DNA sequence: TTCCTTTTTTAAAATGATTTTCATTTTGAA
DNA sequence: TTCAAAATGAAAATCATTTTAAAAAAGGAA
């Protein structure tokens, strides 16, 4: 955890940004909720618990900065808010998501799975892929069990 | 074109909705811009050219209705507005997109390409896939030619 | 240290997309 | 033709996000 913060600090410095107390508090919240898909407001409320003086605009600015540095990925599941997801350290691409249309749960797929598809797209559409967003909408294992 | 409208009309009727003049005007604009990715405001301005009395709220309501009936797909490319994309008639899944990070162009991939990936996801994650969203971010063929 | 410039933060106001409200109009079945 | 339900338009409301402006913090140079 601490070493992860250290590396993020260096990452910021290498782009001449500072790891201010507010930024650190925000990053800690993200690290403590790796599995979640928090909105800016969600992050704000969590950061506020330990650093009550922080402002919402600062959280927005920090999330924007972390997105720019590819420390987090910004994603939109169609519910009107952007959500922020810590990127696995060293991951070349964003991971995938399973959104359940019954219960709203969001599960993650860390495996790449797209290597072949990307090879085809790069070749056939002559498109140089830098990143991707892949989300499946359907019924999660939990909701399937509930079905009659 | 006319037959496509007829089928959409039947589709609405089968869910006991009417194809009002405003809805028809909206659908026509979408049909005339199949390749584009129009925002609600874009649609509104285009509909207004032929039906100046229409209201923006009606366009929003119509797009929501068409989305619910899976006649259009709502998509978000991260620029703060939702965009609406006519679904290919009879298509089981939404098509894919190539977003150029240089010029902003959005190109389409109509081929499925995900059959194998979906088979793996259904089996390994026990997730019953109903639809998907796949977008690649990268450099389009036009911008590659322009490089250095 | 002290001074100075730059960066960052905060709270409040502004913005912009989307939704809701409500009075009015249109629709289609009886 | 009549009438209840559905749909519309204009305006207001809502909500996420961004901008503004003044104050605070950071950190390098003297
Ligand atoms: Mn995730
Ligand atoms: Mn498209
Ligand atoms: Zn579920
Ligand atoms: Zn391009």
């Amino acid at each position: 955890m601490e070493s992860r913060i250290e590396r993020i600090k260096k990452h910021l410095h290498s782009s001449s940004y500072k790891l201010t107390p507010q930024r650190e508090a925000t990053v800690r919240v993200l690290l403590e909720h790796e599995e979640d898909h928090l909105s800016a407001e969600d992050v704000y409320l969590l950061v506020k618990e330990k650093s009550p003086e922080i402002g919402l605009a600062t959280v927005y600015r920090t999330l924007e900065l972390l997105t720019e540095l590819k420390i987090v990925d910004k994603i939109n599941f169609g519910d009107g808010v952007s959500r922020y997801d810590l990127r696995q350290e060293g991951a070349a691409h964003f991971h995938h998501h399973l959104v359940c249309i019954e219960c709203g749960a969001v599960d993650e797929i860390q495996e790449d799975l797209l290597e072949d598809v990307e090879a085809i797209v790069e070749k056939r559409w002559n498109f140089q892929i830098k990143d991707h967003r892949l989300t499946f909408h359907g019924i999660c294992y939990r909701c399937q069990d509930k079905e009659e």
Side-chain angles (χ1 to χ4, degrees), chain A residues 122 126-131:
Chain A
E122 294 236 344
N126 189 23
F127 185 86
Q128 197 181 320
I129 297 174
K130 298 287 190 183
D131 200 3

Side-chain angles (χ1 to χ4, degrees), chain A residues 28-76:
Chain A
R28 281 186 189 280
V29 161
L30 292 173
L31 284 170
E32 286 160 7
H33 294 81
E34 283 228 48
E35 299 278 292
D36 297 341
H37 299 89
L38 304 174
S39 67
E41 179 91 28
D42 294 336
V43 174
Y44 170 63
L45 293 174
L46 288 165
V47 175
K48 240 174 153 13
E49 291 178 5
K50 299 208 172 167
S51 311
E53 67 308 325
I54 201 170
L56 179 55
T58 300
V59 171
Y60 269 104
R61 279 185 290 240
T62 300
L63 291 171
E64 184 187 24
L65 177 62
L66 295 173
T67 301
E68 182 192 321
L69 297 178
K70 296 200 190 306
I71 292 166
V72 305
D73 282 300
K74 188 176 178 178
I75 192 169
N76 193 299

Side-chain angles (χ1 to χ4, degrees), chain A residues 4-140:
Chain A
R4 185 99 183 258
I5 299 235
E6 267 312 306
R7 286 192 293 278
I8 290 174
K9 185 174 185 175
K10 291 212 175 83
H11 195 153
L12 289 190
H13 284 168
S14 75
S15 302
S16 50
Y17 291 114
K18 299 159 191 168
L19 184 64
T20 63
Q22 291 89 342
R23 287 175 181 166
E24 181 173 336
T26 303
V27 168
R28 281 186 189 280
V29 161
L30 292 173
L31 284 170
E32 286 160 7
H33 294 81
E34 283 228 48
E35 299 278 292
D36 297 341
H37 299 89
L38 304 174
S39 67
E41 179 91 28
D42 294 336
V43 174
Y44 170 63
L45 293 174
L46 288 165
V47 175
K48 240 174 153 13
E49 291 178 5
K50 299 208 172 167
S51 311
E53 67 308 325
I54 201 170
L56 179 55
T58 300
V59 171
Y60 269 104
R61 279 185 290 240
T62 300
L63 291 171
E64 184 187 24
L65 177 62
L66 295 173
T67 301
E68 182 192 321
L69 297 178
K70 296 200 190 306
I71 292 166
V72 305
D73 282 300
K74 188 176 178 178
I75 192 169
N76 193 299
F77 291 120
D79 60 347
V81 295
S82 291
R83 296 181 178 280
Y84 298 84
D85 214 346
L86 258 194
R87 189 181 273 230
Q88 297 280 105
E89 274 189 295
H93 286 156
F94 194 25
H95 58 252
H96 317 309
H97 294 96
L98 303 176
V99 178
C100 180
I101 56 184
E102 293 287 333
C103 68
V106 178
D107 294 317
E108 305 196 332
I109 294 184
Q110 298 292 343
E111 282 81 343
D112 187 333
L113 301 181
L114 284 183
E115 283 153 337
D116 295 345
V117 173
E118 296 198 341
I120 292 172
V121 170
E122 294 236 344
K123 189 167 183 185
R124 204 137 87 206
W125 279 267
N126 189 23
F127 185 86
Q128 197 181 320
I129 297 174
K130 298 287 190 183
D131 200 3
H132 58 227
R133 291 289 125 104
L134 173 58
T135 303
F136 292 104
H137 301 242
I139 303 177
C140 77

